[in-house]
């Protein structure tokens, strides 16, 4: 949807250059509002799903927040499929890395991978190179 | 309610070493964000490097006081270079993600049980400031006047802490009037324009990151001198408090971070004292005294939102200078 609809196109235009988007007749404020609503709704669903299999607590979101950043950046900012791929990589890495490093450092391991990926391929696994500059 | 106690406690925060440490860290962050436009969400990491760099140098490597200060400054320079090399060529959001991630990495590393013999694990470190207090020139006794009356030991920490804050603000003031300051402010406004003038933007950004980080490290040392090192103190919460302090005073101002820090701590202490008093007297019945700690942070959060909505430039800020976006 992000790639093919008018709304998706308008969203990418706003992300790239808000004033230029406004000049071409896109209602920047309403795009931003729609994006927040959609993103909030998706995050809400993910909260429900997470609550189904881990114990719900007030800081459950905060404990995975940085891993989410890592996943999105790893997959490539600005690509929905990249975020999914990045999330799988981070999830597998966090759990598998406990075979080698102490388990209280497993999140640190994932974040170090994030920094290493930015060093060699800053656009992420599926991202486009023109966005990063 | 004992008004003199509430107001005295709040006023004492004006000169407390914690306020000085927050002010110094916020000055460093103002160099990053306010002047150069770098989105650094890892100022807590620089403070942690100051705290652990100092404490570990003294306790584990047995360095003298000045050696430990130098060692932690060196560590912070290396840390800033590691952060900067992969990210400063990329868009600003990458720096934000990497700084917040590396701050968390650092916190996990210092609190892991496998390094407990060096960093003290979750328990942290203490009893490392002996040499600092041995340098105290003030004789035993009570100094200053109510509500600032302190012992000789407290006075020594405060004098040193606030002197460093004063020196750092003077240095930043002089730097920002210099050609170097004009270039970094230019980078904040329009990176490409500065690049087209033949300046090495990457190198200037790196210098700014290292300098602001070194101020954060000094802040970390001041922060721990009167207390012990606790890994829990260096979470993302600390970073956001420093952001609050900086935005409160005004991001691109000289005195903003210092006054912001004073306002922040006086307000925290004042709300705490007032809420305690009101609950104890039965005026507020829907709270218990245990709930006051979190409630005052809720109030601070609301205050920050109101600040950003109604006065985005902070107390001292110039609205015209705030037209940049990170």
């Amino acid at each position: 949807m992000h790639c093919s609809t008018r709304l998706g196109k308008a969203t990418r235009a706003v992300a790239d250059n808000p004033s230029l988007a406004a000049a071409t007749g896109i209602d920047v404020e309403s795009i931003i509002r729609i994006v927040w609503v959609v993103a909030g709704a998706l995050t809400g669903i993910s909260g429900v799903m997470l609550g189904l299999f881990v114990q719900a607590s007030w800081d459950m979101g905060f404990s995975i927040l940085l891993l989410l950043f890592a996943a999105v950046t790893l997959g490539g900012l600005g690509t929905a499929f990249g975020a999914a791929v990045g999330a799988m990589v981070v999830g597998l890495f966090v759990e598998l890395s406990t075979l080698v490093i102490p388990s209280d450092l497993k999140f640190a391991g994932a974040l170090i991978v994030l920094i290493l990926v930015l060093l060699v391929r800053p656009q992420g696994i599926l991202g486009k190179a023109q966005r990063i500059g | 309610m004992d008004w003199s106690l509430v107001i005295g406690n709040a006023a004492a925060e004006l000169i407390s070493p914690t306020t000085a440490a927050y002010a110094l860290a916020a000055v460093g962050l103002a160099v990053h964000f306010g002047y150069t436009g770098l989105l650094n969400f890892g100022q807590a990491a620089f403070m942690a490097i100051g705290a652990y760099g100092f404490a570990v140098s003294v306790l584990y490597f047995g360095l003298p006081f000045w050696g430990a200060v130098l060692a932690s400054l060196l560590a912070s320079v290396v840390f800033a270079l590691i952060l900067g090399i992969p990210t400063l060529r990329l868009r600003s959001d990458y720096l934000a993600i990497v700084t917040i991630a590396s701050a968390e990495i650092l916190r996990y590393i210092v609190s892991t049980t496998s390094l407990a013999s060096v960093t003290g694990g979750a328990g942290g470190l203490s009893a490392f400031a002996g040499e600092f207090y041995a340098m105290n020139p003030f004789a035993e006794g009570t100094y200053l006047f109510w509500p600032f009356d302190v012992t000789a030991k407290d006075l020594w920490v405060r004098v040193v802490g606030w002197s460093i804050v004063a020196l750092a603000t003077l240095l930043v003031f002089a730097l920002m009037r210099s050609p170097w300051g004009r270039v970094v402010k230019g980078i904040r406004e329009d990176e490409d324009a500065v690049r087209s003038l033949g300046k090495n933007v990457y190198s200037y950004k790196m210098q700014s990151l290292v300098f602001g980080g070194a101020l954060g490290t000094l802040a970390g040392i001041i922060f721990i001198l009167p207390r012990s090192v606790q890994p829990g103190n260096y979470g993302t919460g600390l970073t956001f408090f420093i952001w609050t302090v900086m935005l409160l005073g005004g991001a691109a101002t000289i005195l903003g971070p210092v006054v912001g820090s004073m306002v922040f701590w006086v307000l925290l202490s004042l709300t705490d004292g007032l809420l305690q008093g009101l609950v104890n007297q039965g005026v507020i019945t829907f709270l218990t005294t245990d709930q006051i700690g979190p409630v005052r942070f809720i109030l601070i959060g609301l205050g920050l939102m109101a600040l950003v909505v109604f006065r985005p430039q902070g107390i001292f800020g110039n609205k015209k200078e705030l037209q940049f976006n990170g």
Side-chain angles (χ1 to χ4, degrees):
Chain A
M1 189 176 128
H2 189 68
C3 308
S4 50
T5 62
R6 270 173 69 86
L7 177 65
K9 215 185 264 179
T11 309
R12 280 178 287 147
V14 171
D16 213 35
N17 188 336
S19 18
L20 199 62
T24 50
I26 296 169
D27 185 351
V28 175
E29 301 248 310
S30 90
I31 293 288
I32 290 174
R33 210 151 37 228
I34 292 170
V35 166
W36 270 106
V37 169
V38 172
L42 286 176
T43 316
I45 297 172
S46 82
V48 173
M49 296 198 301
L50 188 64
L52 287 179
F53 58 82
V54 300
Q55 196 182 7
S57 66
W58 62 273
D59 61 347
M60 61 192 281
F62 199 77
S63 59
I64 63 165
L65 180 69
L66 279 167
L67 293 181
L68 298 182
F69 275 129
V72 172
T73 318
L74 207 61
L77 288 170
T79 57
F81 298 113
V85 172
M88 282 178 205
V89 173
V90 167
L92 282 175
F93 186 84
V94 164
E95 295 308 326
L96 290 178
S97 66
T98 54
L99 296 173
V100 191
I101 57 174
S103 60
D104 54 357
L105 278 179
K106 63 180 182 181
F107 293 136
L111 298 173
I112 287 172
V113 168
L114 163 73
I115 294 176
L116 291 180
V117 167
L118 283 181
L119 263 176
V120 291
R121 195 177 157 83
Q123 68 268 39
I125 297 169
L126 291 182
K128 296 194 184 71
Q130 70 262 30
R131 193 191 172 275
I132 57 171
Chain B
M1 186 174 358
D2 187 357
W3 282 103
S4 67
L5 189 69
V6 171
I7 293 176
N9 279 344
E13 290 290 343
L14 274 179
I15 59 160
S16 81
T18 313
T19 309
Y22 271 57
L24 194 58
V27 170
L29 193 59
V31 171
H32 288 157
F33 174 72
Y35 292 111
T36 323
L38 303 172
L39 281 172
N40 171 15
F41 282 105
Q43 196 68 347
F46 284 106
M47 290 183 76
I49 286 179
Y52 275 95
F54 182 78
V56 171
S57 302
V58 168
L59 293 177
Y60 191 76
F61 296 107
L63 290 181
F65 176 77
W66 291 110
V69 172
L70 272 181
S72 39
L73 282 177
L74 202 68
S76 91
V77 170
V78 172
F79 182 68
L81 291 177
I82 293 174
L83 285 185
I85 288 169
T87 51
L88 286 181
R89 287 182 205 279
L90 310 176
R91 273 167 59 137
S92 56
D93 38 2
Y94 285 94
L95 181 70
I97 294 168
V98 167
T99 46
I100 199 170
S102 47
E104 284 296 281
I105 293 175
L106 208 64
R107 193 169 62 86
Y108 285 126
I109 289 178
V110 294
S111 51
T112 180
T113 45
S114 40
L115 284 174
S117 61
V118 183
T119 61
L125 296 165
S126 55
F128 42 76
E131 199 180 338
F132 172 75
Y133 287 111
M135 286 193 276
N136 188 352
F138 301 108
E140 284 291 325
T142 317
Y143 288 86
L144 300 181
F145 49 88
W146 187 90
F148 303 117
D149 41 351
V150 289
T151 64
K153 207 173 148 183
D154 293 340
L155 183 67
W156 176 229
V157 187
R158 282 162 176 73
V159 166
V160 170
W162 285 103
S163 310
I164 296 175
V165 172
L167 284 177
T169 31
L170 270 178
L171 185 63
V172 171
F173 175 69
L175 263 181
M176 289 310 153
R177 284 162 52 95
S178 71
W180 188 86
R182 278 197 298 278
V183 173
V184 294
K185 279 192 258 184
I187 292 174
R188 176 189 74 194
E189 300 296 330
D190 192 337
E191 217 179 294
D192 296 328
V194 175
R195 196 173 284 125
S196 70
L197 289 172
K199 304 288 183 197
N200 185 348
V201 169
Y202 178 66
S203 155
Y204 276 97
K205 278 181 170 178
M206 187 67 92
Q207 291 161 19
S208 164
L209 189 69
V210 168
F211 176 58
L215 292 183
T217 302
L218 284 177
I221 298 177
I222 298 176
F223 185 67
I224 52 142
L225 280 177
R227 56 170 70 78
S228 64
V229 182
Q230 297 291 337
N233 282 343
Y234 301 98
T236 32
L238 178 61
T239 301
F240 292 134
F241 286 154
I242 294 166
W243 272 85
T244 310
V245 162
M246 183 195 64
L247 293 175
L248 196 64
T253 55
I254 300 292
L255 283 178
V258 180
V259 175
S261 171
M262 289 176 172
V263 171
F264 180 80
W265 280 103
V266 168
L267 278 181
L268 264 185
S269 170
L270 207 58
T271 44
D272 189 46
L274 280 178
L275 286 172
Q276 293 274 12
L278 289 176
V279 169
N280 285 339
Q281 292 199 323
V283 182
I284 298 178
T285 48
F286 53 88
L287 286 176
T288 64
T289 42
D290 299 341
Q291 293 167 333
I292 287 174
V295 163
R296 59 190 182 142
F297 284 109
I298 294 176
L299 291 177
I300 293 285
L302 282 176
L304 178 64
M305 283 191 220
L307 177 81
V308 171
V309 171
F310 295 113
R311 199 174 163 80
Q313 72 271 40
I315 297 171
F316 287 118
N318 174 1
K319 205 159 193 177
K320 261 195 229 142
E321 208 177 346
L322 209 92
Q323 295 304 317
F324 65 90
N325 44 15

